[in-house]
């Protein structure tokens, strides 16, 4: 099986910069709508419920002002990510008690290959976002190109 790369999953149409949101719910609404519009999910309500259920299990803030929420659902038609670069930090449960300014929302198929890909995706993004220079570049990104470039490091 070919190695999954960030280039395979970074989709210009699901990367948003200059996002105005007051809270986690607003970020979810914006990103989930975009995922629906781009054909990643078949039902906004079902995927929103899956994301909320995952949030109840524990913090999705990984520290450094980054959150990586995800939803595992039958409504997922293809695995991918939606990324929001927020104008300012919002409250978010995290491992280091910081809020979120970068949100990477993963879609996860409920079974089979989609479920396995999800672990590889999480690992790929976590490795990239463990680098301070990547996080700094993301926090300062004002365009889709800058977001993609940050992950090319």
């Amino acid at each position: 099986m070919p190695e999954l790369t960030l280039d395979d999953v970074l989709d210009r149409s699901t990367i948003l910069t200059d996002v105005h949101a007051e809270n986690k719910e607003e970020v979810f609404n914006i990103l989930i709508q975009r995922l629906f519009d781009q054909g990643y999910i078949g039902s906004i309500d079902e995927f929103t419920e899956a994301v909320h259920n995952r949030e109840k299990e524990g913090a999705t803030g990984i520290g450094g002002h980054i959150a990586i929420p995800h939803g595992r659902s039958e409504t997922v038609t293809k695995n991918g990510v939606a990324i929001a670069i927020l104008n300012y930090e919002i409250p978010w449960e995290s491992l280091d008690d910081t809020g979120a300014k970068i949100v990477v929302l993963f879609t996860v198929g409920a079974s089979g290959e989609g479920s396995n890909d999800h672990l590889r995706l999480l690992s790929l993004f976590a490795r990239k976002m463990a680098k301070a220079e990547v996080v700094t570049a993301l926090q300062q990104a004002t365009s889709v190109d800058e977001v993609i470039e940050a992950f090319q490091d």
Side-chain angles (χ1 to χ4, degrees), residues 22-125:
E22 296 297 321
N23 55 47
K24 185 190 288 195
E25 201 56 43
E26 287 183 24
V27 175
F28 288 157
N29 290 342
I30 291 165
L31 291 178
I32 291 170
Q33 181 66 54
R34 181 59 63 101
L35 287 165
F36 178 76
D37 292 345
Q38 298 302 319
Y40 283 83
I41 58 173
S43 166
I44 290 172
D45 292 342
E46 278 182 48
F47 190 69
T48 300
E49 182 180 348
V51 170
H52 284 145
N53 289 339
R54 170 56 189 90
E55 287 294 303
K56 291 176 192 167
E57 293 175 19
T60 55
I62 61 171
H65 309 286
I66 301 167
I68 54 170
H70 50 282
R72 181 182 305 251
S73 173
E74 294 291 343
T75 194
V76 171
T77 55
K78 62 181 175 179
N79 282 353
V81 296
I83 300 172
I85 307 299
L86 309 178
N87 311 44
Y88 45 84
E89 185 179 321
I90 62 169
W92 203 290
E93 299 77 27
S94 70
L95 301 177
D96 67 355
D97 294 324
T98 62
K101 189 170 184 309
I102 303 163
V103 180
V104 181
L105 175 61
F106 293 84
T107 61
V108 183
S111 59
E113 195 57 39
S115 188
N116 294 334
D117 279 351
H118 148 251
L119 295 175
R120 288 193 288 273
L121 276 178
L122 273 175
S123 174
L124 275 171
F125 276 92

